[in-house]
Amino acid sequence: MESDLNLMGDEEMANPAVSARRLLAGPRCRYYAGFQPPFYIVSRYKDVSDLLRDPKRFLSGHGQGPNFAHPVGVVSDPPQHTFFRNLVQQDFLPRSIARLRPRLTEIARELLDAVEDREVWDLHDDLAFPLPVTIICEIFGIPTDDLVQFKLWSDASVAALSSEDPALYAAELARMRDYVLTLLQAKRSGSDDGTLLTRVARARRDGVSISDDEAVGLVLQLFVAGNETTTSLITNFMWRMLSSENLWADFCGARIDIDKAINESLRFDPPLLGLFRTTACEVELGGTVVPSHTKVLTHYGAANRDPAVFDNPDVFDVHRPTRKILSFGLGIHVCLGAELARLEARVTLETLRARCPRLQLVDDGKRIGPFLFWGRRKLPVRNL
Ligand code: HEM
């Protein structure tokens, strides 16, 4: 029933499939007053796709979250968006990413070596969290000596994105900005070491250096966008696999296609349940008139379960034929790191199945806090 929707209530936080079901049973565009400021939600696959392909009427520059923000880095609209995306995208093209495979395999092996003698370990803390942070640091040329600090900063960033009171996280986020600014300043002089950090530090637009705020903002976007999400892809995948003994055994016995299974995990358990656009003008959406300058949530979690597109959408089917899922967004803002995220997941899962074919869940662990995100921040497992 329409009025039941409560994105931040216990039931839907524990199982966002419930939100998806309620949204898909309601109007194509629904008003949601359970947040300050209130927003609208689109949930049908076609509506979400159409909206994401319409960046003139649905803007990114007011922020990806429910709160209004200023344009920063790639969270902006053309031409600013085009400039910043072009600046960083060469490092994320398929051929650049494919070169990372040996190093990713090495990181996964080292992390699993460290838990080899432990009967119980945590899939999040010991594997799914450190792997993406380490590789993104290496892509940038950022030291990897303080992963725990990075984790605290990433947590603060994602919490601020979904919070009614982002000021709560301001002090932590200011420390993160200072840290990145110091790194960038060090890269402005000296020889060009070819790292992404140096390219950002020395970027010029129309002949003028980009500002400190722009450089820091861009680095942080890439840093934060890829960590929590890829970690959640790995934990969500393993949670589903281990919740059914046969699935993990079949996966380890190579009876399941790894790419199809990753795609199904992304469809069924999207690490980002949705993100926001802001209307540039009054817009009519499925019979609802949305005023200008209003936030609209594109709910990937619901769109991925739209029965008009996916047969038996509420079934986790690792053999499902691959169809375009919306978990990485679409259009000009489509995820820059999708190739990297898929490779990270593939390498981690291949390494894990070779090393731990008899892995078991201890319990369901804990959910990540912010309502827009879906993943485990604890997932204890036992090596048999
Ligand atoms: C499973 C993991 C990931 C998921 C589910 C995910 C999801 C998304 C989504 C939904 C968007 C669209 C944002 C929008 O339309 O406003 C996006 C954009 C983006 N993602 Fe990812 N992402 C993942 C991994 C990564 C990684 C590893 C990176 C690495 C750097 C990354 C970097 C970015 C960036 C920079 C954007 C903004 C692109 C733009 O606005 O042009 N993501 N991601």
Side-chain angles (χ1 to χ4, degrees):
M1 253 169 31
E2 226 186 284
S3 55
D4 285 347
L5 189 71
N6 183 358
L7 298 175
M8 281 145 266
D10 291 346
E11 188 190 13
E12 291 176 44
M13 286 291 282
N15 181 11
V18 175
S19 319
R21 209 162 36 243
R22 289 177 178 161
L23 283 164
L24 290 166
R28 279 173 51 200
C29 176
R30 80 176 273 171
Y31 182 68
Y32 186 69
F35 192 89
Q36 275 313 314
F39 51 78
Y40 289 78
I41 312 177
V42 288
S43 50
R44 309 302 195 274
Y45 185 96
K46 184 169 184 321
D47 290 333
V48 172
S49 313
D50 289 350
L51 195 155
L52 294 176
R53 288 202 185 93
D54 189 353
K56 288 211 166 82
R57 291 197 304 162
F58 297 97
L59 305 174
S60 293
H62 297 283
Q64 293 170 309
N67 299 298
F68 289 85
H70 297 296
V72 179
V74 285
V75 183
S76 59
D77 300 295
Q80 176 178 332
H81 171 259
T82 320
F83 170 80
F84 284 112
R85 181 136 182 152
N86 287 343
L87 180 64
V88 292
Q89 78 179 355
Q90 74 191 64
D91 290 69
F92 297 94
L93 297 175
R95 65 171 182 281
S96 313
I97 295 305
R99 285 199 285 268
L100 299 173
R101 183 182 264 274
R103 177 63 187 134
L104 278 169
T105 307
E106 196 174 64
I107 300 171
R109 284 186 184 151
E110 280 168 15
L111 292 169
L112 287 176
D113 285 347
V115 295
E116 200 167 46
D117 297 332
R118 279 164 46 194
E119 191 200 335
V120 173
W121 53 283
D122 195 283
L123 244 159
H124 174 279
D125 295 354
D126 299 317
L127 181 67
F129 153 65
L131 183 127
V133 188
T134 306
I135 201 72
I136 197 74
C137 283
E138 292 185 3
I139 291 175
F140 267 117
I142 295 178
T144 49
D145 44 16
D146 208 349
L147 295 190
V148 174
Q149 180 60 69
F150 291 159
K151 174 67 182 155
L152 289 176
W153 287 338
S154 284
D155 285 353
S157 304
V158 299
L161 180 76
S162 313
S163 169
E164 278 178 310
D165 189 3
L168 288 176
Y169 307 93
E172 201 58 60
L173 297 183
R175 278 192 283 278
M176 172 166 80
R177 306 185 88 76
D178 287 347
Y179 175 84
V180 172
L181 184 58
T182 309
L183 292 175
L184 283 163
Q185 280 165 342
K187 299 283 185 184
R188 289 218 172 110
S189 49
S191 57
D192 185 352
D193 58 7
T195 62
L196 180 56
L197 200 60
T198 301
R199 190 158 4 105
V200 173
R202 299 184 183 183
R204 296 171 78 79
R205 186 169 31 167
D206 304 327
V208 180
S209 296
I210 62 170
S211 69
D212 284 352
D213 275 356
E214 287 177 313
V216 171
L218 183 65
V219 171
L220 291 180
Q221 275 164 2
L222 271 92
F223 198 78
V224 173
N227 287 339
E228 189 80 67
T229 47
T230 309
T231 298
S232 295
L233 167 56
I234 297 167
T235 56
N236 286 344
F237 185 101
M238 288 305 297
W239 186 40
R240 292 285 169 215
M241 284 289 170
L242 295 175
S243 303
S244 154
E245 211 176 303
N246 288 344
L247 268 189
W248 182 238
D250 285 352
F251 184 71
C252 294
R255 291 183 287 280
I256 292 177
D257 179 280
I258 191 162
D259 291 320
K260 268 193 190 156
I262 289 173
N263 208 65
E264 178 65 353
S265 170
L266 284 162
R267 181 191 74 82
F268 201 77
D269 290 308
L272 266 169
L273 292 167
L275 284 175
F276 288 78
R277 293 289 187 266
T278 303
T279 49
C281 52
E282 186 180 280
V283 180
E284 196 255 294
L285 272 169
T288 302
V289 175
V290 182
S292 180
H293 201 61
T294 300
K295 288 277 179 174
V296 181
L297 170 61
T298 52
H299 203 290
Y300 316 131
N304 283 343
R305 288 171 184 252
D306 185 342
V309 178
F310 299 98
D311 293 337
N312 299 319
D314 291 323
V315 175
F316 181 68
D317 174 6
V318 289
H319 304 293
R320 185 183 288 279
T322 306
R323 296 213 51 177
K324 182 82 188 155
I325 50 163
L326 293 175
S327 316
F328 287 119
L330 211 62
I332 63 169
H333 292 280
V334 69
C335 179
L336 186 72
E339 196 73 27
L340 172 60
R342 285 186 193 273
L343 183 64
E344 287 177 87
R346 210 177 294 137
V347 167
T348 306
L349 298 169
E350 280 167 0
T351 313
L352 200 51
R353 76 174 166 192
R355 297 276 292 261
C356 309
R358 300 195 317 129
L359 207 61
Q360 263 189 2
L361 276 188
V362 172
D363 58 42
D364 290 329
K366 283 199 185 87
R367 185 205 195 284
I368 290 179
F371 81 96
L372 285 176
F373 291 77
W374 176 234
R376 316 309 298 167
R377 72 183 156 88
K378 288 280 173 205
L379 193 59
V381 286
R382 180 174 285 115
N383 270 332
L384 289 180

